[in-house]
Structure formats: C-alpha cells, structure tokens
Amino acid sequence: MSPATVSRVLNKPELVEPETKERVRGAIKALDFQPSAIARGLSVQRTDTIGLVVPGITDLFFGELYRGIERASHESGMKVLLFDAQHARHRAFEGFTFLRQHRVGGIIFTSKVVSEDYDPVLERIGIPVVLALTEATGRTALPAFKVDDVKAVFDAVAYLVSRGHRRVGMITGDMSDDLTGDLRLQGYRAGLEHYGIPYQSSWVETGDYRFTTGYQAMRRLLEHQEQNQLTAVCAASDEMAIGAIRCLHDHGLKVPDDFSVLGFDDLGVAHMTVPALTTIAQPFAEIGERAVQQLVQMIADDTIHASGTYYLPHRIVERESVRALSDLS
Amino acid sequence: MSPATVSRVLNKPELVEPETKERVRGAIKALDFQPSAIARGLSVQRTDTIGLVVPGITDLFFGELYRGIERASHESGMKVLLFDAQHARHRAFEGFTFLRQHRVGGIIFTSKVVSEDYDPVLERIGIPVVLALTEATGRTALPAFKVDDVKAVFDAVAYLVSRGHRRVGMITGDMSDDLTGDLRLQGYRAGLEHYGIPYQSSWVETGDYRFTTGYQAMRRLLEHQEQNQLTAVCAASDEMAIGAIRCLHDHGLKVPDDFSVLGFDDLGVAHMTVPALTTIAQPFAEIGERAVQQLVQMIADDTIHASGTYYLPHRIVERESVRALSDLS
C-alpha cells in the first residue's frame, strides 16, 4: 500500500477499488483508536504543549493566574491550549478528554475541588495533571499549588484586630463550595475565637465572589447595623469588597473613615478604586508559574505520579480601605 | 496491511520486519503530510471546534468579548480552542498555524490590524477566518465585526459638548496603532472641528490603554491646566479613564464636581468604581456572537470567501463621572 494510495482513498475515494478502500480505512481506523500510539509515532510536538482547564476565562482572578502560566510556559518553550469549562462541572470533565485528544503533554486544572468523581477520567487520560488554586480530594493524589485559605482569613482578622477593630463582619463565598467558601469562613471563625470575640451569625452574609453579591451582602449587613455595630468587614474576594464599598458609599458611609473593608485576592482592580483596596494578596502569578514548572518536570520525567499540596504564602497589602480605630477613637 | 500490523509498527517496532515497517511508515508519512486529508478521513470532530487567536487573555476587554463567543459557540455546539498571542506579532502568526494543526474548522482573530504580511499565512491555512474588534488591510479580504471608532469618539465629544463642555482634552491610545489609537484621535479632532473648537496639541496625551498610563497622561494634562482650563477629558479606554480619575483624586480634584471624565469600552469595572464611569460602550458580547455566527456559517458552507466590515452600534452609558456644566455655572 503506497502513500499515494492512502492519499487517494482520503481525497478521491471514487477512484479507488472498494477492497483497497476497505484496507486503507481499516488501517486508518486502527490509527484512530490508538491515539497515544499515533502521538508517539507521528508527533514529536506533543510534549511541547500543555493544556489548561479553567472554570471561566472571564473571571478576573484567572487573568492574574494566567500571567504566571504564560511566563513559565514561555520560559520552558511550551505552548498552552486552553479549555474553558464555563463554570459547568460536566464541561470540566470534557476538558480533560478534549485536551487529551489534542495531544497535550500534561494538564493544569484550575477549577473546583477535584473530588472522587474525577478518578475515572484521571485514570483514563494517563498524562500528568497539576492543580492550581484547588485541591484533590479523591483517590487520585495530584500535586496542587494554592494558598492556605483558613490561615489567610485568620490573618485578615488578626490584621483588623491589630488596627483596633473587634466588631468585624464577613462577606463569605458560597458555603457549599468546600474549596474556598467553607475554608475562608473557617479562618474567620478561628480568628474571632483566637481574639475572644464571640461568633454571631448576623455578622456573616454570603455572596458568589462577584461585585453585585458583595453589594447585596453589605446591604443586608447594614440592615442589622444598629444591633451589630460593625466597624469593619472582611470579604472573601476583592470584587465583593469593591461591591461592599460601593454599597457603603450609596448609604452615605465613607470608607475607611466610617467603615473599613478588607478584600481577598489582590486583583488588578484593587489599586484602581477610590479608596484603593487593602486586601489579602494571593500570589496568583507564582502559583501559575510553580504549577507549570511542576508539570514540565513531570512531562520530562515521563511520570504521572506526584502529589502534595504546596501552600504558597499570602500577604496583606495595605492600601486605603482600612483605618486604625486608635487613630481617631 | 492489517490494522494490527499498523498498530504493531507504532507500538512494538522491534517485532516487525524492516520492509513492513518501511511501508507502514511511508503510509503514515503520507497521512502526516496531508493534514486536511487526515482531518476529512479521520475526524468528523473537526468542524466542531473553532480556534480563537487573542492578543492577551488578561486584557479586560477580552473577557467581555469572550462572553459573546462563549454564548454563540455553545448555541452552535462548537468547542473553542484558544491561542494567546501574548501581544507579540510573531505569536499571532504562530496562532494560525498552531490552531490549524489542531484541526479547528475556522478561526476568530482578535488582535492588531491584519495587514498584508498576514497574506501568506492566510493563503496557506485554507480555513475560514473572521475578525473581531479588528480589520483586514491586506490583500485577503476577511469579514470583520467592530465599532466605528471614529464615529464613537466623535459622539463622545458631542455628548460632552451637549453637557456644556468645550475645553475637552483627550487621553488617546498609541498613535502608531492604526487600529484604535489613530482612529479614536481622528474622531476627537473631527468632534472638536464640528463644534468649532480649535484643536490644541497640549490638550492631548497618549497612553497604552492601561490604568497606569491613564494616570500619567492625566498628570501631564494637569501640568498645563492653568493655560488649558480643561473641564473634561475623553479617554480611549475605561482603564485609562479610571487612572485619570485616580490621578484627579490624588490632586484634590473631585470627579465629576471639579472635572468630568468619559471612558471608552464599558468594561465590567466601569460600574464598580466610585464615581461609576460614564463611558462609550462597545457591544463586545454582540461582536463576539456575530463573529462566531459568521464563522459557523462559513464552515457550514465550506467557504473561505467572505468579507465586509460590519460596524456594530456603540452607545453612551451615563453614570456618574460626567456632570452638566450648566447645572452649576
């Protein structure tokens, strides 16, 4: 069977004998059902590309993470293929298969917790997977890079207490989100407990990390402000913190003179607002870089076996949205 | 030649006769050098995926565009593969080839102007290409979806004039950028001319569309404020407008009481700031949707020949950063 015959079957099947067609198509089918074999045989490009499954490309934090992924990929001579899961669980699954079909050498996954229902997919694809901003809770242990969310919000409370605040509220993420929603609330409760401040459910409101829900959560907190007498609020995201600032502004309260607001993330927008946002910075770019470096190493070592959650350090970035109560009272 | 033989050559070549190996590898090579033939023969998936070349994934405007691309792709049952050109011209070229190798059915390109140096690439890849937020100026005519930048900034000036402003400055984009930098400045000059306001070069400063350069451009404008007596400024992007507001704030000037600022884009952040930004809205999501619909149609029609620049309507979104001078003076 000559190359010309194969080409003819594919391009001008009407010119080819049925039996020859049959044989060539059989061979093609064999190739098609051996994707890893094809990859080994045909494509040395394969280890030049890493795949990236993201929850939603339009999330502001993803942009920050991507800066690090871009930098480290560039340094390693890697191309990046992105798959946007559009905040849908089944799409995140699809992402693995899709990227595998596109012969990426490995995958960085950055979405919700990788729980046990991912195990069959992870076993099937057989290429290295590294997690960024998330963790694996299933049977398959995977290397993960993130901050310690509990510790980060604990430190946020400690910072506010050090600035004289004790009546500190919280705008948390979705509690059913066991990745950040629940952990950040745990950090808040641990912080209050550490400083002997009783936890009160009326001090906590929930949002979905976006501006609008931050605004609404702050409005609900203000409804009980007469009893609560809060002087500060921690938000579980910068966007919710900015929403809270806008809400306070609309209610005639100045930040930080009348009320202090602390964010979480340190997105690009955190320094653009008036007042600029004091916030817990996640080292997004470094998390992206470290995840790529880990993946590149696993591809080079031809291994899918690595694990461990690496907590990268968060830090408090002081800008203008928190004031020290002792300055004025 | 049986499928099993092909598989054996790929997986266990040591078990295969040299001559057989030779023949199989010849056939594989033929397949490899006929990528479109492979695609037709092996993969009915091919027309299920569109490629997207973007200047930089972290650009805020890209997120807005992507919402529309996502929605329309989802509706058409298309998957999207992204390639990030990282603001580098040679990477944008690479994007076409890379996505082609990954067998996408067509490409949406959203970066700088597609000038004549793209012609050889466009001829080689042989799949439909649609432009979003940009235009083709080379030999290869391509369908494009964008706003009329000249008209948009003309309308911005008209709006400010209608609010009593005549001493209107401009923070423009890079003039060497013939896509938006030059066009938006043209719109500004045409607007001034239309209302009989003499153009003065000291009323114009340049930035790169980002927050920091907007801040710096505003600072330079304020250095000549004693002579210029500007009451308002148009910025060629929301980020630069927000930078200008921050600069005015740091110089003790309140927006809009002391100075009015008009943005361009209507990004998500435009409503998050205090004051919320009055701005020229680009219909990013609609541009993304229309580009996908056009591309899907071309893939269905199996044609690469289509052209025409479609100007989608911009509009002025009134928020809080522009005041009517007649209210107070």
Side-chain angles (χ1 to χ4, degrees), chain A residues 16-48:
Chain A
V16 185
E17 292 290 319
E19 200 212 304
T20 312
K21 246 187 302 205
E22 195 70 34
R23 279 169 54 215
V24 171
R25 287 188 172 148
I28 289 168
K29 208 168 163 192
L31 290 167
D32 200 28
F33 283 98
Q34 301 279 349
S36 66
I38 291 184
R40 268 200 298 281
L42 287 181
S43 166
V44 290
Q45 295 288 329
R46 182 173 161 264
T47 51
D48 278 7

PDB file of all heavy atoms in Angstrom, chain A residues 16-48:
ATOM      1  N   VAL A  16     -10.918   4.762  -6.238  1.00  0.00           N
ATOM      2  CA  VAL A  16     -10.213   3.628  -5.628  1.00  0.00           C
ATOM      3  C   VAL A  16     -11.115   2.385  -5.572  1.00  0.00           C
ATOM      4  O   VAL A  16     -12.320   2.502  -5.355  1.00  0.00           O
ATOM      5  CB  VAL A  16      -9.745   4.008  -4.195  1.00  0.00           C
ATOM      6  CG1 VAL A  16      -8.902   2.889  -3.590  1.00  0.00           C
ATOM      7  CG2 VAL A  16      -8.962   5.319  -4.216  1.00  0.00           C
ATOM      8  N   GLU A  17     -10.506   1.236  -5.793  1.00  0.00           N
ATOM      9  CA  GLU A  17     -11.229  -0.034  -5.694  1.00  0.00           C
ATOM     10  C   GLU A  17     -11.810  -0.219  -4.293  1.00  0.00           C
ATOM     11  O   GLU A  17     -11.127   0.077  -3.306  1.00  0.00           O
ATOM     12  CB  GLU A  17     -10.266  -1.207  -5.954  1.00  0.00           C
ATOM     13  CG  GLU A  17      -9.743  -1.315  -7.373  1.00  0.00           C
ATOM     14  CD  GLU A  17     -10.844  -1.730  -8.349  1.00  0.00           C
ATOM     15  OE1 GLU A  17     -11.657  -2.626  -7.985  1.00  0.00           O
ATOM     16  OE2 GLU A  17     -10.895  -1.151  -9.439  1.00  0.00           O
ATOM     17  N   PRO A  18     -13.030  -0.760  -4.209  1.00  0.00           N
ATOM     18  CA  PRO A  18     -13.656  -0.947  -2.886  1.00  0.00           C
ATOM     19  C   PRO A  18     -12.766  -1.714  -1.910  1.00  0.00           C
ATOM     20  O   PRO A  18     -12.649  -1.340  -0.748  1.00  0.00           O
ATOM     21  CB  PRO A  18     -14.929  -1.737  -3.195  1.00  0.00           C
ATOM     22  CG  PRO A  18     -15.239  -1.444  -4.617  1.00  0.00           C
ATOM     23  CD  PRO A  18     -13.928  -1.163  -5.305  1.00  0.00           C
ATOM     24  N   GLU A  19     -12.107  -2.762  -2.382  1.00  0.00           N
ATOM     25  CA  GLU A  19     -11.325  -3.593  -1.463  1.00  0.00           C
ATOM     26  C   GLU A  19     -10.143  -2.813  -0.882  1.00  0.00           C
ATOM     27  O   GLU A  19      -9.847  -2.889   0.310  1.00  0.00           O
ATOM     28  CB  GLU A  19     -10.819  -4.844  -2.197  1.00  0.00           C
ATOM     29  CG  GLU A  19     -10.429  -5.975  -1.262  1.00  0.00           C
ATOM     30  CD  GLU A  19      -9.292  -6.805  -1.838  1.00  0.00           C
ATOM     31  OE1 GLU A  19      -9.427  -7.322  -2.955  1.00  0.00           O
ATOM     32  OE2 GLU A  19      -8.249  -6.887  -1.156  1.00  0.00           O
ATOM     33  N   THR A  20      -9.476  -2.025  -1.751  1.00  0.00           N
ATOM     34  CA  THR A  20      -8.340  -1.202  -1.304  1.00  0.00           C
ATOM     35  C   THR A  20      -8.824  -0.178  -0.280  1.00  0.00           C
ATOM     36  O   THR A  20      -8.203   0.038   0.763  1.00  0.00           O
ATOM     37  CB  THR A  20      -7.725  -0.457  -2.512  1.00  0.00           C
ATOM     38  OG1 THR A  20      -7.547  -1.393  -3.573  1.00  0.00           O
ATOM     39  CG2 THR A  20      -6.397   0.193  -2.136  1.00  0.00           C
ATOM     40  N   LYS A  21      -9.971   0.434  -0.631  1.00  0.00           N
ATOM     41  CA  LYS A  21     -10.574   1.413   0.283  1.00  0.00           C
ATOM     42  C   LYS A  21     -10.762   0.807   1.668  1.00  0.00           C
ATOM     43  O   LYS A  21     -10.408   1.392   2.675  1.00  0.00           O
ATOM     44  CB  LYS A  21     -11.943   1.853  -0.262  1.00  0.00           C
ATOM     45  CG  LYS A  21     -11.966   3.314  -0.665  1.00  0.00           C
ATOM     46  CD  LYS A  21     -13.340   3.819  -1.055  1.00  0.00           C
ATOM     47  CE  LYS A  21     -13.988   3.067  -2.180  1.00  0.00           C
ATOM     48  NZ  LYS A  21     -14.978   3.881  -2.919  1.00  0.00           N
ATOM     49  N   GLU A  22     -11.332  -0.398   1.666  1.00  0.00           N
ATOM     50  CA  GLU A  22     -11.585  -1.126   2.903  1.00  0.00           C
ATOM     51  C   GLU A  22     -10.316  -1.262   3.742  1.00  0.00           C
ATOM     52  O   GLU A  22     -10.303  -0.974   4.940  1.00  0.00           O
ATOM     53  CB  GLU A  22     -12.101  -2.530   2.532  1.00  0.00           C
ATOM     54  CG  GLU A  22     -12.749  -3.287   3.663  1.00  0.00           C
ATOM     55  CD  GLU A  22     -14.090  -2.675   4.048  1.00  0.00           C
ATOM     56  OE1 GLU A  22     -14.787  -2.172   3.163  1.00  0.00           O
ATOM     57  OE2 GLU A  22     -14.412  -2.677   5.257  1.00  0.00           O
ATOM     58  N   ARG A  23      -9.237  -1.695   3.075  1.00  0.00           N
ATOM     59  CA  ARG A  23      -7.995  -1.954   3.800  1.00  0.00           C
ATOM     60  C   ARG A  23      -7.404  -0.666   4.370  1.00  0.00           C
ATOM     61  O   ARG A  23      -6.980  -0.618   5.524  1.00  0.00           O
ATOM     62  CB  ARG A  23      -6.971  -2.630   2.876  1.00  0.00           C
ATOM     63  CG  ARG A  23      -7.199  -4.147   2.734  1.00  0.00           C
ATOM     64  CD  ARG A  23      -6.347  -4.721   1.632  1.00  0.00           C
ATOM     65  NE  ARG A  23      -4.938  -4.399   1.809  1.00  0.00           N
ATOM     66  CZ  ARG A  23      -4.073  -4.158   0.807  1.00  0.00           C
ATOM     67  NH1 ARG A  23      -4.494  -4.184  -0.433  1.00  0.00           N
ATOM     68  NH2 ARG A  23      -2.815  -3.890   1.079  1.00  0.00           N
ATOM     69  N   VAL A  24      -7.403   0.381   3.520  1.00  0.00           N
ATOM     70  CA  VAL A  24      -6.831   1.651   3.979  1.00  0.00           C
ATOM     71  C   VAL A  24      -7.646   2.200   5.147  1.00  0.00           C
ATOM     72  O   VAL A  24      -7.100   2.625   6.165  1.00  0.00           O
ATOM     73  CB  VAL A  24      -6.766   2.678   2.827  1.00  0.00           C
ATOM     74  CG1 VAL A  24      -6.374   4.055   3.359  1.00  0.00           C
ATOM     75  CG2 VAL A  24      -5.780   2.221   1.769  1.00  0.00           C
ATOM     76  N   ARG A  25      -8.959   2.115   4.995  1.00  0.00           N
ATOM     77  CA  ARG A  25      -9.800   2.644   6.078  1.00  0.00           C
ATOM     78  C   ARG A  25      -9.641   1.848   7.361  1.00  0.00           C
ATOM     79  O   ARG A  25      -9.706   2.387   8.457  1.00  0.00           O
ATOM     80  CB  ARG A  25     -11.261   2.701   5.638  1.00  0.00           C
ATOM     81  CG  ARG A  25     -11.457   3.835   4.634  1.00  0.00           C
ATOM     82  CD  ARG A  25     -12.907   4.084   4.295  1.00  0.00           C
ATOM     83  NE  ARG A  25     -13.015   5.299   3.493  1.00  0.00           N
ATOM     84  CZ  ARG A  25     -13.925   5.501   2.563  1.00  0.00           C
ATOM     85  NH1 ARG A  25     -14.834   4.588   2.308  1.00  0.00           N
ATOM     86  NH2 ARG A  25     -13.957   6.640   1.900  1.00  0.00           N
ATOM     87  N   GLY A  26      -9.421   0.551   7.197  1.00  0.00           N
ATOM     88  CA  GLY A  26      -9.149  -0.290   8.365  1.00  0.00           C
ATOM     89  C   GLY A  26      -7.894   0.186   9.077  1.00  0.00           C
ATOM     90  O   GLY A  26      -7.871   0.332  10.304  1.00  0.00           O
ATOM     91  N   ALA A  27      -6.860   0.465   8.278  1.00  0.00           N
ATOM     92  CA  ALA A  27      -5.597   0.930   8.864  1.00  0.00           C
ATOM     93  C   ALA A  27      -5.788   2.278   9.562  1.00  0.00           C
ATOM     94  O   ALA A  27      -5.293   2.508  10.672  1.00  0.00           O
ATOM     95  CB  ALA A  27      -4.535   1.053   7.782  1.00  0.00           C
ATOM     96  N   ILE A  28      -6.543   3.132   8.897  1.00  0.00           N
ATOM     97  CA  ILE A  28      -6.793   4.458   9.488  1.00  0.00           C
ATOM     98  C   ILE A  28      -7.546   4.321  10.801  1.00  0.00           C
ATOM     99  O   ILE A  28      -7.231   4.979  11.789  1.00  0.00           O
ATOM    100  CB  ILE A  28      -7.589   5.340   8.497  1.00  0.00           C
ATOM    101  CG1 ILE A  28      -6.687   5.739   7.333  1.00  0.00           C
ATOM    102  CG2 ILE A  28      -8.163   6.560   9.198  1.00  0.00           C
ATOM    103  CD1 ILE A  28      -7.429   6.350   6.162  1.00  0.00           C
ATOM    104  N   LYS A  29      -8.515   3.403  10.771  1.00  0.00           N
ATOM    105  CA  LYS A  29      -9.294   3.188  11.979  1.00  0.00           C
ATOM    106  C   LYS A  29      -8.392   2.714  13.118  1.00  0.00           C
ATOM    107  O   LYS A  29      -8.508   3.159  14.258  1.00  0.00           O
ATOM    108  CB  LYS A  29     -10.391   2.154  11.697  1.00  0.00           C
ATOM    109  CG  LYS A  29     -11.596   2.332  12.574  1.00  0.00           C
ATOM    110  CD  LYS A  29     -12.762   1.500  12.089  1.00  0.00           C
ATOM    111  CE  LYS A  29     -13.787   1.377  13.190  1.00  0.00           C
ATOM    112  NZ  LYS A  29     -14.803   0.360  12.898  1.00  0.00           N
ATOM    113  N   ALA A  30      -7.466   1.835  12.777  1.00  0.00           N
ATOM    114  CA  ALA A  30      -6.519   1.353  13.795  1.00  0.00           C
ATOM    115  C   ALA A  30      -5.738   2.532  14.375  1.00  0.00           C
ATOM    116  O   ALA A  30      -5.554   2.640  15.589  1.00  0.00           O
ATOM    117  CB  ALA A  30      -5.556   0.347  13.173  1.00  0.00           C
ATOM    118  N   LEU A  31      -5.289   3.411  13.476  1.00  0.00           N
ATOM    119  CA  LEU A  31      -4.554   4.595  13.941  1.00  0.00           C
ATOM    120  C   LEU A  31      -5.436   5.421  14.864  1.00  0.00           C
ATOM    121  O   LEU A  31      -5.007   5.886  15.915  1.00  0.00           O
ATOM    122  CB  LEU A  31      -4.128   5.462  12.753  1.00  0.00           C
ATOM    123  CG  LEU A  31      -3.027   4.879  11.857  1.00  0.00           C
ATOM    124  CD1 LEU A  31      -2.941   5.672  10.570  1.00  0.00           C
ATOM    125  CD2 LEU A  31      -1.696   4.878  12.583  1.00  0.00           C
ATOM    126  N   ASP A  32      -6.679   5.556  14.438  1.00  0.00           N
ATOM    127  CA  ASP A  32      -7.596   6.419  15.174  1.00  0.00           C
ATOM    128  C   ASP A  32      -7.871   5.897  16.569  1.00  0.00           C
ATOM    129  O   ASP A  32      -8.080   6.663  17.496  1.00  0.00           O
ATOM    130  CB  ASP A  32      -8.913   6.514  14.390  1.00  0.00           C
ATOM    131  CG  ASP A  32      -9.707   7.724  14.806  1.00  0.00           C
ATOM    132  OD1 ASP A  32      -9.083   8.707  15.237  1.00  0.00           O
ATOM    133  OD2 ASP A  32     -10.932   7.679  14.692  1.00  0.00           O
ATOM    134  N   PHE A  33      -7.869   4.593  16.705  1.00  0.00           N
ATOM    135  CA  PHE A  33      -8.166   4.034  18.017  1.00  0.00           C
ATOM    136  C   PHE A  33      -6.915   3.802  18.857  1.00  0.00           C
ATOM    137  O   PHE A  33      -6.969   3.199  19.892  1.00  0.00           O
ATOM    138  CB  PHE A  33      -8.999   2.749  17.863  1.00  0.00           C
ATOM    139  CG  PHE A  33     -10.422   3.063  17.548  1.00  0.00           C
ATOM    140  CD1 PHE A  33     -10.890   3.030  16.253  1.00  0.00           C
ATOM    141  CD2 PHE A  33     -11.289   3.465  18.566  1.00  0.00           C
ATOM    142  CE1 PHE A  33     -12.202   3.354  15.960  1.00  0.00           C
ATOM    143  CE2 PHE A  33     -12.608   3.783  18.276  1.00  0.00           C
ATOM    144  CZ  PHE A  33     -13.057   3.729  16.982  1.00  0.00           C
ATOM    145  N   GLN A  34      -5.794   4.322  18.396  1.00  0.00           N
ATOM    146  CA  GLN A  34      -4.553   4.227  19.155  1.00  0.00           C
ATOM    147  C   GLN A  34      -3.967   5.623  19.286  1.00  0.00           C
ATOM    148  O   GLN A  34      -2.854   5.866  18.845  1.00  0.00           O
ATOM    149  CB  GLN A  34      -3.545   3.335  18.412  1.00  0.00           C
ATOM    150  CG  GLN A  34      -4.004   1.916  18.150  1.00  0.00           C
ATOM    151  CD  GLN A  34      -3.839   1.026  19.365  1.00  0.00           C
ATOM    152  OE1 GLN A  34      -3.199   1.415  20.345  1.00  0.00           O
ATOM    153  NE2 GLN A  34      -4.428  -0.150  19.317  1.00  0.00           N
ATOM    154  N   PRO A  35      -4.711   6.525  19.876  1.00  0.00           N
ATOM    155  CA  PRO A  35      -4.230   7.916  19.836  1.00  0.00           C
ATOM    156  C   PRO A  35      -2.843   8.091  20.429  1.00  0.00           C
ATOM    157  O   PRO A  35      -2.040   8.842  19.915  1.00  0.00           O
ATOM    158  CB  PRO A  35      -5.273   8.697  20.629  1.00  0.00           C
ATOM    159  CG  PRO A  35      -6.072   7.680  21.358  1.00  0.00           C
ATOM    160  CD  PRO A  35      -5.982   6.404  20.583  1.00  0.00           C
ATOM    161  N   SER A  36      -2.537   7.350  21.531  1.00  0.00           N
ATOM    162  CA  SER A  36      -1.221   7.578  22.118  1.00  0.00           C
ATOM    163  C   SER A  36      -0.143   7.026  21.195  1.00  0.00           C
ATOM    164  O   SER A  36       0.934   7.569  21.088  1.00  0.00           O
ATOM    165  CB  SER A  36      -1.131   6.950  23.499  1.00  0.00           C
ATOM    166  OG  SER A  36      -1.207   5.562  23.382  1.00  0.00           O
ATOM    167  N   ALA A  37      -0.489   5.934  20.494  1.00  0.00           N
ATOM    168  CA  ALA A  37       0.450   5.391  19.525  1.00  0.00           C
ATOM    169  C   ALA A  37       0.681   6.385  18.388  1.00  0.00           C
ATOM    170  O   ALA A  37       1.808   6.623  17.964  1.00  0.00           O
ATOM    171  CB  ALA A  37      -0.087   4.078  18.968  1.00  0.00           C
ATOM    172  N   ILE A  38      -0.373   6.969  17.914  1.00  0.00           N
ATOM    173  CA  ILE A  38      -0.232   7.982  16.868  1.00  0.00           C
ATOM    174  C   ILE A  38       0.674   9.089  17.357  1.00  0.00           C
ATOM    175  O   ILE A  38       1.588   9.528  16.669  1.00  0.00           O
ATOM    176  CB  ILE A  38      -1.598   8.616  16.504  1.00  0.00           C
ATOM    177  CG1 ILE A  38      -2.474   7.597  15.798  1.00  0.00           C
ATOM    178  CG2 ILE A  38      -1.394   9.820  15.599  1.00  0.00           C
ATOM    179  CD1 ILE A  38      -3.786   8.176  15.325  1.00  0.00           C
ATOM    180  N   ALA A  39       0.405   9.499  18.565  1.00  0.00           N
ATOM    181  CA  ALA A  39       1.181  10.605  19.101  1.00  0.00           C
ATOM    182  C   ALA A  39       2.659  10.241  19.135  1.00  0.00           C
ATOM    183  O   ALA A  39       3.506  11.013  18.703  1.00  0.00           O
ATOM    184  CB  ALA A  39       0.692  10.950  20.502  1.00  0.00           C
ATOM    185  N   ARG A  40       2.944   9.023  19.616  1.00  0.00           N
ATOM    186  CA  ARG A  40       4.349   8.614  19.680  1.00  0.00           C
ATOM    187  C   ARG A  40       4.948   8.503  18.297  1.00  0.00           C
ATOM    188  O   ARG A  40       6.078   8.883  18.061  1.00  0.00           O
ATOM    189  CB  ARG A  40       4.467   7.259  20.381  1.00  0.00           C
ATOM    190  CG  ARG A  40       4.684   7.368  21.883  1.00  0.00           C
ATOM    191  CD  ARG A  40       5.276   6.100  22.460  1.00  0.00           C
ATOM    192  NE  ARG A  40       4.390   4.944  22.294  1.00  0.00           N
ATOM    193  CZ  ARG A  40       3.339   4.719  23.071  1.00  0.00           C
ATOM    194  NH1 ARG A  40       3.026   5.558  24.036  1.00  0.00           N
ATOM    195  NH2 ARG A  40       2.581   3.670  22.882  1.00  0.00           N
ATOM    196  N   GLY A  41       4.151   7.973  17.385  1.00  0.00           N
ATOM    197  CA  GLY A  41       4.688   7.706  16.054  1.00  0.00           C
ATOM    198  C   GLY A  41       4.800   8.954  15.203  1.00  0.00           C
ATOM    199  O   GLY A  41       5.800   9.168  14.530  1.00  0.00           O
ATOM    200  N   LEU A  42       3.788   9.792  15.230  1.00  0.00           N
ATOM    201  CA  LEU A  42       3.720  10.886  14.271  1.00  0.00           C
ATOM    202  C   LEU A  42       4.225  12.205  14.811  1.00  0.00           C
ATOM    203  O   LEU A  42       4.707  13.033  14.069  1.00  0.00           O
ATOM    204  CB  LEU A  42       2.267  11.133  13.845  1.00  0.00           C
ATOM    205  CG  LEU A  42       1.624  10.112  12.930  1.00  0.00           C
ATOM    206  CD1 LEU A  42       0.216  10.579  12.619  1.00  0.00           C
ATOM    207  CD2 LEU A  42       2.439   9.946  11.665  1.00  0.00           C
ATOM    208  N   SER A  43       4.085  12.399  16.097  1.00  0.00           N
ATOM    209  CA  SER A  43       4.211  13.771  16.554  1.00  0.00           C
ATOM    210  C   SER A  43       5.223  13.873  17.682  1.00  0.00           C
ATOM    211  O   SER A  43       5.006  13.396  18.777  1.00  0.00           O
ATOM    212  CB  SER A  43       2.834  14.245  17.040  1.00  0.00           C
ATOM    213  OG  SER A  43       2.973  15.419  17.771  1.00  0.00           O
ATOM    214  N   VAL A  44       6.331  14.511  17.397  1.00  0.00           N
ATOM    215  CA  VAL A  44       7.277  14.814  18.465  1.00  0.00           C
ATOM    216  C   VAL A  44       6.890  16.140  19.123  1.00  0.00           C
ATOM    217  O   VAL A  44       7.463  16.546  20.110  1.00  0.00           O
ATOM    218  CB  VAL A  44       8.729  14.903  17.955  1.00  0.00           C
ATOM    219  CG1 VAL A  44       9.222  13.520  17.569  1.00  0.00           C
ATOM    220  CG2 VAL A  44       8.832  15.864  16.797  1.00  0.00           C
ATOM    221  N   GLN A  45       5.889  16.815  18.551  1.00  0.00           N
ATOM    222  CA  GLN A  45       5.402  18.096  19.047  1.00  0.00           C
ATOM    223  C   GLN A  45       4.711  17.949  20.395  1.00  0.00           C
ATOM    224  O   GLN A  45       4.599  18.889  21.144  1.00  0.00           O
ATOM    225  CB  GLN A  45       4.354  18.688  18.085  1.00  0.00           C
ATOM    226  CG  GLN A  45       4.903  19.048  16.717  1.00  0.00           C
ATOM    227  CD  GLN A  45       5.786  20.254  16.751  1.00  0.00           C
ATOM    228  OE1 GLN A  45       5.572  21.138  17.569  1.00  0.00           O
ATOM    229  NE2 GLN A  45       6.794  20.311  15.909  1.00  0.00           N
ATOM    230  N   ARG A  46       4.232  16.747  20.629  1.00  0.00           N
ATOM    231  CA  ARG A  46       3.280  16.525  21.693  1.00  0.00           C
ATOM    232  C   ARG A  46       3.714  17.100  23.046  1.00  0.00           C
ATOM    233  O   ARG A  46       2.926  17.715  23.753  1.00  0.00           O
ATOM    234  CB  ARG A  46       3.064  15.022  21.796  1.00  0.00           C
ATOM    235  CG  ARG A  46       2.080  14.599  22.814  1.00  0.00           C
ATOM    236  CD  ARG A  46       1.852  13.109  22.668  1.00  0.00           C
ATOM    237  NE  ARG A  46       1.273  12.585  23.875  1.00  0.00           N
ATOM    238  CZ  ARG A  46       1.968  12.023  24.854  1.00  0.00           C
ATOM    239  NH1 ARG A  46       3.273  11.940  24.768  1.00  0.00           N
ATOM    240  NH2 ARG A  46       1.362  11.575  25.932  1.00  0.00           N
ATOM    241  N   THR A  47       4.972  16.913  23.416  1.00  0.00           N
ATOM    242  CA  THR A  47       5.406  17.378  24.725  1.00  0.00           C
ATOM    243  C   THR A  47       5.722  18.880  24.728  1.00  0.00           C
ATOM    244  O   THR A  47       6.227  19.397  25.701  1.00  0.00           O
ATOM    245  CB  THR A  47       6.642  16.581  25.182  1.00  0.00           C
ATOM    246  OG1 THR A  47       7.596  16.607  24.132  1.00  0.00           O
ATOM    247  CG2 THR A  47       6.278  15.154  25.504  1.00  0.00           C
ATOM    248  N   ASP A  48       5.411  19.546  23.624  1.00  0.00           N
ATOM    249  CA  ASP A  48       5.608  20.993  23.535  1.00  0.00           C
ATOM    250  C   ASP A  48       4.383  21.765  23.997  1.00  0.00           C
ATOM    251  O   ASP A  48       4.382  22.993  23.974  1.00  0.00           O
ATOM    252  CB  ASP A  48       5.840  21.412  22.079  1.00  0.00           C
ATOM    253  CG  ASP A  48       7.274  21.195  21.684  1.00  0.00           C
ATOM    254  OD1 ASP A  48       8.011  20.610  22.488  1.00  0.00           O
ATOM    255  OD2 ASP A  48       7.635  21.619  20.581  1.00  0.00           O
TER     256      ASP A  48
END
